Amino acid sequence: MLSLFKAKTWSGAGWLLTLCVLLVFIAMIYTALHLCYKGTDHKKLNNMQLLNIDNVLAVYPDPDSAQSASKDPAVKKAVLAKREERDHALFNFLRNEYDGRIDEYRLKRMDGLLINLNNKDTKTYLTDTEIIVNDFFWFVGTGTYAEVLFWALIGVLVSLIYYVSIANGQSLKVAGDADTGPFDPAEISGQVSKMFYAPVCALVLVLGYNLLAGSNTKMTDISVGKGLLLFSFISGFFSGRVMKFIDRLKDLILPLSSTDSTTINNNASTANDIDKTADITISLQLAQAMLSTPEAADIIDGGFNTAIVTLKPSTGDIITLKKPVDDQSSEFTATQVPLGKYTLHATMAFKNNDTIINLEADKDIKISDADKAFQLDLDKAVEAG
């Protein structure tokens, strides 16, 4: 049983089947929950609907000043009956506009308010108020959180299914035969972790958007409708880029103070005297000349994780950097690299229809405690023409 948790136990086909079954299972749970627990959505009256509201109100004019000031019970009863007719006509109009999806309980609450308002105040209220209607999705209340988590998880699963299916179809011997690289069971742990952190990150972004939007409503009432589902799915599908975005936010939200910077510099100087190795990161991107080529967009979209990045010291063995776990990432890493001068070399083959485009780059670098991150620009290899 415990062997199932070992990456080497899984084949590419077995892991792909597991992802597909998991996606179907999540979709079934999602559908069942929505069938059992109906959702609600925000709706706001558009200009045409407000014009029709004016037409309805015109049929039921406000009582004159004498009727409004009258203390005669019969007059008050007549005025109240007139407003009840007006409200009844308004509710029939709203039911018709939203195909009877307005909850009757909410209509009764609205009736208790409108009965005390004149036509002008009624129009203002309906203009500013969002109408809550029944819907398949949960767009009001705490169910909004569940929608974000569900759709981000679905996005992650679809992304992984796409990546693993492409990797399984690639030859393990021919570099550049696809845009993602052969399936590696060692990547399963990273893919499983993505199923957990991606939905949470999507939820954090949604709550952050609602906070920055300056909304005075409840945090759970996010009035973006089905755009929320689209954003959550995309956040899950491109979770690697979402993590990069959140990582960059740390400089904005948690900037280093001058004291922190001095402390870091002092620590770096001390470490330089003691530690003789460093963990480095190499970021790959296309050279400026390659960005203007027709295949540049496809290369960037496919990612750079099929590349081979190495460090060649003046003496000693060549160091091969570890490929990124995330298929959208372009960062290659190596740990405990001795400080010193190296020749950084990268090669990558990209299949464009029936043509393989070979990319390469070289760069002389010096690794120190102050310089651990480097950028390398890939261009067409000389022999590729």
Side-chain angles (χ1 to χ4, degrees), residues 175-176 179-181 284 303-310 320-324 330 332 345-349 359 378:
D179 61 354
T180 55
L284 297 184
F304 295 93
N305 62 346
T306 59
I308 298 175
V309 183
T310 60
T320 301
L321 276 69
K322 183 180 178 182
K323 294 186 177 184
S330 60
F332 291 69
H345 180 70
T347 59
M348 174 177 160
L359 305 173
L378 292 173

Side-chain angles (χ1 to χ4, degrees), residues 13 15 26 29 38 50 86 104 107 115 122 135 178 183 193 199 221 241 268 289 301 336 338 342 345 349:
W15 181 237
I26 295 298
I29 292 178
K38 297 295 184 181
L50 290 174
R86 180 201 66 183
E104 291 300 321
L107 284 183
I115 195 68
T122 297
D135 197 274
F183 174 76
S193 65
D221 293 342
R241 300 185 184 184
D301 186 60
Q336 297 183 345
Y342 293 86
H345 180 70

Side-chain angles (χ1 to χ4, degrees), residues 14-263:
W15 181 237
L16 177 62
L17 179 61
T18 300
L19 291 173
C20 292
V21 171
L22 185 58
L23 177 60
V24 172
F25 179 68
I26 295 298
M28 291 175 62
I29 292 178
Y30 178 85
T31 304
L33 287 175
H34 282 69
L35 291 176
C36 294
Y37 303 97
K38 297 295 184 181
T40 49
D41 191 10
H42 305 79
K43 298 292 182 181
K44 204 155 189 176
L45 297 174
N46 58 37
N47 292 333
M48 183 58 68
Q49 290 171 327
L50 290 174
L51 182 61
N52 290 328
I53 290 290
D54 285 333
N55 295 333
V56 174
L57 294 176
V59 179
Y60 302 93
D62 287 326
D64 56 36
S65 56
Q67 290 176 318
S68 299
S70 176
K71 296 182 179 181
D72 187 348
V75 174
K76 288 185 175 181
K77 185 176 181 180
V79 171
L80 184 62
K82 200 69 174 178
R83 284 191 175 172
E84 288 179 347
E85 290 181 17
R86 180 201 66 183
D87 294 347
H88 183 71
L90 288 173
F91 295 155
N92 284 339
F93 169 75
L94 294 176
R95 289 190 187 98
N96 181 68
E97 286 295 304
Y98 296 111
D99 299 323
R101 292 187 294 138
I102 300 180
D103 187 73
E104 291 300 321
Y105 170 73
R106 289 185 171 87
L107 284 183
K108 289 181 180 179
R109 291 180 57 187
M110 188 183 297
D111 186 27
L113 176 64
L114 296 184
I115 195 68
N116 299 313
L117 301 180
N118 58 32
N119 286 355
K120 181 181 178 180
D121 293 338
T122 297
K123 171 69 179 299
T124 302
Y125 175 81
L126 293 176
T127 301
D128 297 334
T129 300
E130 290 182 333
I131 309 297
I132 306 299
V133 299
N134 295 323
D135 197 274
F136 179 78
F137 302 103
W138 303 326
F139 290 135
V140 179
T142 55
T144 308
Y145 297 148
E147 290 288 355
V148 174
L149 296 174
F150 265 116
W151 280 95
L153 178 57
I154 291 173
V156 170
L157 291 173
V158 172
S159 174
L160 294 178
I161 289 172
Y162 168 76
Y163 163 70
V164 175
S165 63
I166 294 296
N168 286 344
Q170 176 187 348
S171 169
L172 298 179
K173 301 296 182 181
V174 181
D177 194 41
D179 61 354
T180 55
F183 174 76
D184 184 358
E187 298 178 3
I188 291 180
S189 59
Q191 295 175 1
V192 172
S193 65
K194 187 185 295 187
M195 299 179 197
F196 290 89
Y197 71 70
V200 175
C201 290
L203 180 60
V204 169
L205 290 180
V206 168
L207 293 178
Y209 161 79
N210 197 51
L211 178 64
L212 294 176
S215 175
N216 293 322
T217 59
K218 296 179 180 179
M219 286 292 287
T220 54
D221 293 342
I222 303 172
S223 307
V224 293
K226 294 177 177 59
L228 179 69
L229 308 185
L230 178 62
F231 174 81
S232 302
F233 178 85
I234 292 177
S235 296
F237 195 92
F238 297 107
S239 55
R241 300 185 184 184
V242 171
M243 290 301 295
K244 287 183 180 180
F245 173 75
I246 294 178
D247 184 62
R248 290 170 183 169
L249 283 179
K250 71 178 184 295
D251 296 329
L252 177 64
I253 301 176
L254 303 171
L256 290 175
S257 65
S258 58
T259 304
D260 294 332
S261 301
T262 303
T263 302

